[in-house]
């Protein structure tokens, strides 16, 4: 049977665009539909604008540090409008690059929503039905907001790049990547940030010692971080709110959550915590996880299994229960990272169009959390490794030269987890400014199976922070 296309991709984010243009580059007839902006979460409302905000936010500390180094500089307030307008221009530019990449590879673009009609059919929002030999679902994910009274007053990472004004006081809910990254960003931009996380320590799933070091560093930089605390209720203060007229908010907050500023005023958001505290904020950000974008996509109707979190269930080759339908990226809820989605897209093309069945390798993926201080990590945590086999832990915590000279107390953490049996480095965890850049390189060694002795054979680069990775001689503990 002749189809309209060899491949129809639904979703123009990092994974979908890469798969579409590589397949088209190899001679396949390819179409792609995108209902929102080309570039997807990473480019439009994720990694890229976030990283630019990280850069913007580090200048407040840089001005201060410059003075510690003898510069006579004075810093003014951050101009959100000037930054935002530049950011929007940059995102427009990147979106057009993505569109051009597709056009230049001969991919036909449909800028509208598409749903799966059957194993080989796609229905566009305008009612047109297209057929394809293979369908690739790359629709990504979206933020989840917990249900509670007033939760519609909060924003998510989707909205944070579009704020009309920066809030004076902001509450961030969550303790994952996005919550912790934005706590640092907003603090650096001059916003008073309070962060509530329901668990005992932020960044669940990462190395415990690193989590502690990051939490300490975030607090030292001004984030008012409360663990064991969640939000229960929120409401917008009105002009004559009787509750708010009766007592200053601070009087009703337990000591740990006390807010000593002026009492709430109309337009602000009043929140109540699970620990009984009541506070007011100008903005509340929910960074409480993301879920796959499969709602109304027609997957189940076409026979694709949809999992409990709404994910498209696929095998190691990204193939669903329907042999002609594949899915990659966040919609599969495997590893929610852009480079992983891109690799899944490439593996999909090799499997389907290049006659080379390629399972996606999800082992030893290095990643960075752009907290302040930054976190770079690859491999097993100490806790995971010691459950698996006998290990040695090499770790050092020290004041980096640059900060020490400036008179700051902040500490850097460098940590290696080593197998006692094979001597392989099973995990590497770095909490330091620039840790994201460092872990990319350490990740090569760890992925290659380097042993502790291989690390030791490498001459130190002096004076750097990362030289500690090759100079740690004695384990701090074995387990
Ligand atoms: P995460 O899964 O990392 O974190 C979600 C946080 O929200 C957790 O702390 C979780 O708590 C908490 N939470 C979940 N439900 C509730 C609730 N009902 N009430 C209160 N708190 C709740 O999700 P993010 O949204 O931060 O990020 C999504 C994914 O995007 C990440 O997992 C990551 O893969 C990716 N990402 C990667 C980045 C990078 O590479 N630098 C940057 C940003 C995102 P608990 O721990 O108790 O479950």
């Amino acid at each position: 049977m002749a189809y309209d296309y060899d491949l129809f991709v639904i979703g123009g984010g990092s994974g979908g665009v890469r798969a579409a243009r590589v397949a088209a580059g190899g001679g396949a007839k390819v179409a792609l539909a995108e209902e929102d902006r080309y570039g997807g979460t990473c480019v439009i409302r994720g990694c890229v604008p976030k990283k630019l905000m990280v850069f913007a936010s580090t200048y407040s500390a840089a001005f201060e540090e410059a003075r510690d180094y003898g510069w006579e500089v004075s810093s003014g307030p951050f101009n959100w409008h000037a930054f935002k307008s530049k950011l929007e221009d940059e995102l427009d530019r990147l979106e057009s690059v993505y569109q051009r990449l597709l056009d230049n590879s001969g991919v036909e673009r449909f800028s509208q929503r598409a749903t799966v009609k059957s194993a080989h059919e796609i229905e566009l929002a305008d009612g047109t039905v297209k057929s394809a030999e293979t369908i690739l679902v790359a629709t990504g994910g979206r933020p989840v907001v917990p249900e509670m009274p007033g939760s519609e007053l909060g924003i998510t990472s989707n909205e944070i790049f579009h704020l009309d004004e920066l809030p004076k006081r902001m509450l961030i809910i969550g303790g994952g990547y996005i919550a912790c990254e934005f706590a640092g960003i907003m603090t650096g931009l001059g916003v008073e940030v309070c962060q509530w996380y329901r668990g005992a320590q932020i960044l669940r799933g990462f190395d415990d010692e690193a989590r502690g070091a990051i939490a300490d560093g975030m607090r030292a930089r001004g984030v008012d971080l409360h663990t064991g605390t969640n939000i229960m209720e929120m409401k917008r203060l009105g002009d004559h709110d009787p509750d708010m007229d009766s007592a200053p908010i601070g009087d009703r907050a337990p000591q740990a959550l006390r807010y000593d500023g002026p009492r709430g005023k109309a337009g602000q958001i009043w929140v109540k915590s699970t620990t009984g505290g009541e506070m007011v904020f100008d903005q509340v950000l929910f960074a409480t996880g993301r879920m796959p974008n499969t709602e109304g996509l027609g997957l189940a109707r076409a026979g694709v299994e949809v999992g409990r979190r709404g994910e498209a269930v696929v095998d190691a080759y990204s193939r669903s229960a329907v042999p002609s339908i594949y899915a990659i990226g966040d919609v599969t809820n495997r590893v929610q990272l852009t480079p992983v989605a891109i690799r899944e897209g490439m593996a999909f093309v090799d499997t389907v169009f290049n006659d080379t069945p390629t399972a996606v390798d999800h082992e030893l993926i290095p990643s960075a959390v752009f907290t302040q201080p930054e976190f770079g990590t690859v491999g097993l945590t100490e806790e995971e490794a010691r459950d698996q086999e006998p290990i040695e832990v090499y770790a050092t915590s020290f004041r980096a030269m640059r900060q020490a000279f400036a008179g700051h107390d902040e500490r850097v953490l460098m940590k290696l987890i080593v197998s006692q049996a094979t001597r392989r480095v099973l995990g590497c965890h770095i909490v330091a400014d620039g840790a994201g850049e460092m872990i990319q390189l350490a990740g090569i060694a760890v992925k290659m199976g380097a042993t502790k002795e291989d690390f030791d054979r490498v001459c130190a680069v002096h004076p750097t922070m990362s030289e500690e990775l090759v100079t740690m001689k004695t384990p701090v503990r074995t387990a």
Side-chain angles (χ1 to χ4, degrees), residues 66-244:
R67 283 193 286 271
D68 294 328
Y69 272 82
W71 287 92
E72 290 178 16
V73 287
S74 58
S75 56
F78 173 65
N79 185 334
W80 169 246
H81 297 281
F83 172 78
K84 191 175 133 186
S85 129
K86 236 182 142 202
L87 178 67
E88 283 164 1
D89 289 349
E90 177 63 1
L91 300 187
D92 289 347
R93 186 186 71 81
L94 290 172
E95 183 178 15
S96 63
V97 167
Y98 269 70
Q99 290 169 336
R100 226 180 17 253
L101 282 172
L102 288 169
D103 296 345
N104 291 348
S105 0
V107 176
E108 191 174 343
R109 286 195 284 123
F110 295 97
S111 298
Q112 53 181 304
R113 183 169 169 80
T115 54
V116 177
K117 194 167 182 327
S118 69
H120 292 284
E121 285 175 311
I122 304 95
E123 183 166 1
L124 296 171
D126 65 8
T128 322
V129 174
K130 300 285 182 189
S131 64
E133 183 163 9
T134 304
I135 297 173
L136 179 65
V137 178
T139 48
R142 62 173 190 281
V144 192
V145 172
E147 279 180 27
M148 87 187 69
S151 63
E152 71 285 353
L153 297 172
I155 59 167
T156 69
S157 56
N158 281 353
E159 289 80 43
I160 199 148
F161 307 108
H162 305 289
L163 296 175
D164 290 333
E165 302 291 338
L166 274 192
K168 189 169 173 307
R169 291 170 43 77
M170 178 173 218
L171 174 64
I172 297 182
I173 307 294
Y177 278 79
I178 297 178
C180 295
E181 289 183 342
F182 274 101
I185 290 171
M186 288 298 174
T187 302
L189 296 181
V191 177
E192 284 173 48
V193 173
C194 187
Q195 182 183 355
W196 292 356
Y197 172 53
R198 63 185 179 180
Q201 184 56 284
I202 55 167
L203 295 170
R204 183 166 61 84
F206 290 105
D207 185 89
D208 279 352
E209 198 173 3
R211 295 162 73 192
I214 297 163
D216 289 349
M218 286 171 60
R219 287 190 173 107
R221 294 187 190 202
V223 178
D224 185 16
L225 170 63
H226 297 265
T227 52
T229 307
N230 206 352
I231 189 167
M232 263 175 59
E233 192 185 339
M234 50 202 286
K235 96 179 163 184
R236 174 92 59 199
L237 297 186
D239 281 337
H240 301 289
D241 199 299
D243 277 341
M244 295 308 117

Side-chain angles (χ1 to χ4, degrees), residues 51-65 78 184-185 187-189 221 370-372 374 402 433:
K51 189 79 189 276
L52 292 169
M53 280 181 80
V54 169
F55 290 143
S57 71
T58 55
Y59 283 95
S60 46
F63 288 129
E64 212 173 284
E65 195 178 275
F78 173 65
I185 290 171
T187 302
L189 296 181
R221 294 187 190 202
F370 294 99
T371 35
Q372 299 180 40
E374 202 167 293
R402 178 172 176 156
D433 287 339

Side-chain angles (χ1 to χ4, degrees), residues 22-23 25-28 345-358:
V22 176
M346 302 288 282
F348 156 79
V349 174
D350 281 340
T351 301
V352 176
F353 294 97
N354 296 342
D355 236 1
T356 316
T358 307

Side-chain angles (χ1 to χ4, degrees), residues 2 37 71 102 135 193 207 225 266 296 302 317 344 363 367 372 381 394-395 409 414 466:
R37 297 187 63 182
W71 287 92
L102 288 169
I135 297 173
V193 173
D207 185 89
L225 170 63
Y317 299 91
E344 288 170 359
E363 291 297 309
S367 73
Q372 299 180 40
T381 66
Y394 293 81
D409 287 333
M414 299 275 165
S466 51

